[in-house]
């Protein structure tokens, strides 16, 4: 198995990304309202957006989208992404997050990545902390965490990169 990313191209990936529009569970986990769903599609909203692809025995499947929006400082980026509901609970979110972060740190090695999750989304919090994110804010409503390249370079991430042939 190989997991890799390529830059999102609206004319090739719009159909795959449309899962966000029609998947109620993704909408509830990622967005507060319909308006924010449509903002996700705006060109220029993200610094970079990647499509994550899984290749097994020559067969390629799009499995996720990982996007990074600029933060308040020039070297801050907020991660946003999704795995379609039908593909969840298979580890693809972790694989996708690691592949996307790996690419971000290649082009912006001194940046800090941030993640935010609703407090009820404990799976997202477990996934991000396993990747090396450190929790900065934790309250009844949400978690916020940050990640540097040094924190990302940990045993768990190295193991996943090896398993998924992420370069």
């Amino acid at each position: 198995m190989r997991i890799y990313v390529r830059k999102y191209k609206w004319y090739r990936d719009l159909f795959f990304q449309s899962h966000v529009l029609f998947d109620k569970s993704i909408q509830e986990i990622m967005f507060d309202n319909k308006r924010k769903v449509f903002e996700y599609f705006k060109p220029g909203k993200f610094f970079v957006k990647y499509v994550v692809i899984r290749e097994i025995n020559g067969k390629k499947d799009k499995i996720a989208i990982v996007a990074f929006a600029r933060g308040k400082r020039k070297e801050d980026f907020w991660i946003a992404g999704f795995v379609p509901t039908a593909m969840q609970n298979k580890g693809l979110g972790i694989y996708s997050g690691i592949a996307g972060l790996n690419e971000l740190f290649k082009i912006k090695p001194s940046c800090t990545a941030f993640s935010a999750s609703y407090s009820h989304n404990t799976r997202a919090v477990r996934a991000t902390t396993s990747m090396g994110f450190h929790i900065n804010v934790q309250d009844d409503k949400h978690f916020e965490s940050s990640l540097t390249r040094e924190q990302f370079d940990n045993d768990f991430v190295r193991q996943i990169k090896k398993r998924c042939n992420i370069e």
Side-chain angles (χ1 to χ4, degrees), residues 37-101:
V37 172
F38 288 109
E39 284 181 22
Y40 184 76
F41 287 88
K42 282 184 179 176
K45 164 103 173 131
F46 295 100
F47 168 70
V48 67
K49 190 185 283 190
Y50 297 112
V51 173
V52 183
I53 299 167
R54 175 179 61 182
E55 183 178 352
I56 300 175
N57 299 325
K59 184 177 185 260
K60 298 176 184 181
D61 294 309
K62 296 174 187 176
I63 59 170
I65 290 183
V66 178
F68 296 95
R70 284 206 184 272
K72 291 181 180 179
R73 296 180 311 169
K74 185 179 179 181
E75 293 294 313
D76 291 352
F77 297 94
W78 287 86
I79 189 170
F82 79 92
V83 175
T85 301
M87 297 177 163
Q88 291 178 4
N89 300 317
K90 297 175 184 167
L92 299 177
I94 295 241
Y95 299 162
S96 300
I98 289 173
L101 286 161

Side-chain angles (χ1 to χ4, degrees), residues 79 93-95 97-98 101 113-119 121-138 142-148 150-158 160:
I79 189 170
I94 295 241
Y95 299 162
I98 289 173
L101 286 161
F114 291 89
S115 175
S117 301
Y118 289 114
S119 61
N121 192 356
T122 55
R123 288 179 11 190
V125 175
R126 280 196 315 259
T128 55
T129 55
S130 68
M131 289 183 231
F133 279 87
H134 291 266
I135 295 176
N136 302 329
V137 176
Q138 179 178 358
H142 76 296
F143 292 87
E144 285 184 13
S145 53
S146 62
L147 178 73
T148 63
E150 292 76 26
Q151 293 164 330
F152 183 64
D153 186 26
N154 64 59
D155 290 338
F156 177 77
V157 169
R158 282 191 292 276
I160 296 297

